[in-house]
Each structure stands twice: as structure tokens, then as C-alpha cells.
Amino acid sequence: EVQLVESGGGLVQPGSSLKVSCVASGFTFSSYVMHWFRQAPENGIEWLAYINTDSSSTHYAETVKGRFTISRDNAKNTVDMQLSSLRSEDTAMYFCAREKYYYDGTFDYWGQGVMVTVSS
Amino acid sequence: DTVLTQSPALAVSPGERVTISCRASESVSTLMHWYQQKPGQQPKLLIYLASNLESGVPARFSGSGSGTDFTLTIDPVEADDTATYYCQQSWNDPLTFGSGTKLEIK
């Protein structure tokens, strides 16, 4: 069974950093492009970043470029997102997701999400 | 960015047919996908590449469209279909989602 499980969320102060992680199981993790998304309370879904299968290519949304960094460890089946210079508007549920087919932009499995709250 | 416009809410009775629309601000070819999200849960893929039914999704769900106008149809609607439905395009960078259509089953 394919599973994606996020961890690492919490309450942090503005300007601080946090790493959210996603561990995958039930599929050949190294064969899939992985993405991070977020959803602010009562809001829609925002794409944040992707990383390709061997980490040679990453791409970010303009809203987080330079502040967030995506990485993966195929040996550990994990994909992480380092969140830096956090702002109140970064408060959201963060989801990792698997891209169904290589670069088709469809996401067939999502984690349950991890909440990040940025507040003083 | 490509803006996807959806109606905010719909209410239908069980057994009826419902169509949820999504209009893109520019062409997305057929790279449009539909997700269902229930409160407190992650999004679930229903339809990919405009009209392909995801494995395990009931055949009551179908999708159509190309270019800028897309439709998700549920026929017949069941009580368990209460959820918010999002369209998402992957033709233009960055990937974008619609704001969601909240479906209420009367």
C-alpha cells in the first residue's frame, strides 16, 4: 500500500526556520518526482516545489523561492522541505505528494498533511 | 499564473446529476485534473488529463473539456460525495488550482 507520512510541523515564531519531512512506503520511491503543497486554513491549494528522481532538478513557486528548500534521500525514502524566514502567511497545512507519471503534473497519492503555524 | 475559476458552491439531491465547471484564464490543453477533498483529509485524485478516471474511483465520476473549459460530472450523486472539488492544471508553470467548489448533498 502506498503511503506518504509527513512530520515536523508545529508552532514557530516569525523569522524562524522549520523542516517538514515526508517518508514514503509501498512503492519505488526513487522512480517518482515528488512535490510539496500547502493549504492555508479555509483556503485553496498552493503548489510549492518539486524535486526530480535523482535530485538533479528542483523548481519552486515564486512565493517561496529563496526561502524554502526541497531535498530527498532515496536511500531513506524521504523528501524534506526546509522552511526559512517564516512569515505569518506561511501558516498552512503542508502536504507532500507523488507525481503519477513523470512530469505530467498529476498527483495520485498525498500525505495526510502536517500543520505549520507561524505566530509570535 | 494561470487562474482557474470555479463556482464556489452547489447543492443537489441524491440521485441527481451535477456538473462542476472550471474555466482557465489561458489554454491548458488537456492537462487538467480533478480532486476531491473532504474536511480534514488530503486531496484525492478523481480525473487526470481531463477525462481519465483514476483507478478505484467510481464510474459515476467523469471529466471532459480541453483548452480553457472543463467539466467534472457526477451522475448519480451520492451522499458520500459531499466534499470540495478542485481543478488543477499542469500545462503552464506554475501548477495552479482552482479555488474549489463545495458540493452539498441535500
Side-chain angles (χ1 to χ4, degrees):
Chain A
E1 179 193 6
V2 172
Q3 281 198 309
L4 297 170
V5 179
E6 298 95 338
S7 61
L11 172 63
V12 296
Q13 293 196 333
S16 64
S17 298
L18 187 71
K19 186 175 79 172
V20 290
S21 298
C22 169
V23 59
S25 60
F27 65 101
T28 305
F29 178 73
S30 59
S31 296
Y32 287 85
V33 177
M34 297 297 295
H35 295 244
W36 281 95
F37 299 83
R38 68 184 177 187
Q39 186 171 30
E42 305 303 319
N43 273 16
I45 304 166
E46 180 186 11
W47 170 79
L48 299 177
Y50 82 70
I51 187 166
N52 72 345
T53 54
D54 64 1
S55 304
S56 61
S57 178
T58 59
H59 187 46
Y60 297 90
E62 287 298 321
T63 53
V64 303
K65 189 179 291 186
R67 297 191 302 124
F68 291 8
T69 303
I70 191 171
S71 61
R72 68 188 293 163
D73 185 334
N74 286 343
K76 296 182 179 178
N77 287 358
T78 57
V79 55
D80 297 334
M81 180 80 91
Q82 179 72 41
L83 286 55
S84 304
S85 303
L86 284 163
R87 309 163 180 164
S88 59
E89 54 264 38
D90 295 318
T91 294
M93 185 73 78
Y94 285 72
F95 297 95
C96 64
R98 182 183 90 165
E99 191 161 354
K100 181 177 175 72
Y101 298 119
Y102 202 77
Y103 288 131
D104 78 338
T106 305
F107 306 99
D108 59 348
Y109 285 94
W110 297 64
Q112 83 290 349
V114 62
M115 189 68 200
V116 173
T117 303
V118 184
S119 176
S120 55
Chain B
D1 295 3
T2 304
V3 176
L4 303 180
T5 302
Q6 298 182 244
S7 299
L10 288 171
V12 298
S13 299
E16 292 185 347
R17 179 176 185 265
V18 64
T19 58
I20 297 171
S21 64
C22 177
R23 173 162 288 178
S25 60
E26 57 189 320
S27 177
V28 300
S29 185
T30 57
L31 268 67
M32 182 67 79
H33 324 290
W34 290 92
Y35 299 84
Q36 176 193 68
Q37 187 178 35
K38 298 182 177 181
Q41 295 186 16
Q42 66 269 57
K44 174 187 175 183
L45 178 65
L46 300 174
I47 301 289
Y48 63 99
L49 301 175
S51 60
N52 294 275
L53 187 69
E54 172 68 355
S55 175
V57 174
R60 303 183 292 105
F61 293 87
S62 63
S64 64
S66 66
T68 61
D69 290 294
F70 297 85
T71 300
L72 172 70
T73 300
I74 311 172
D75 186 16
V77 164
E78 296 182 357
D80 187 54
D81 298 334
T82 297
T84 300
Y85 293 84
Y86 293 94
C87 55
Q88 174 243 319
Q89 67 82 25
S90 58
W91 179 251
N92 299 309
D93 179 35
L95 303 173
T96 52
F97 289 78
S99 54
T101 297
K102 192 169 186 177
L103 180 64
E104 176 196 341
I105 311 302
K106 301 175 193 173

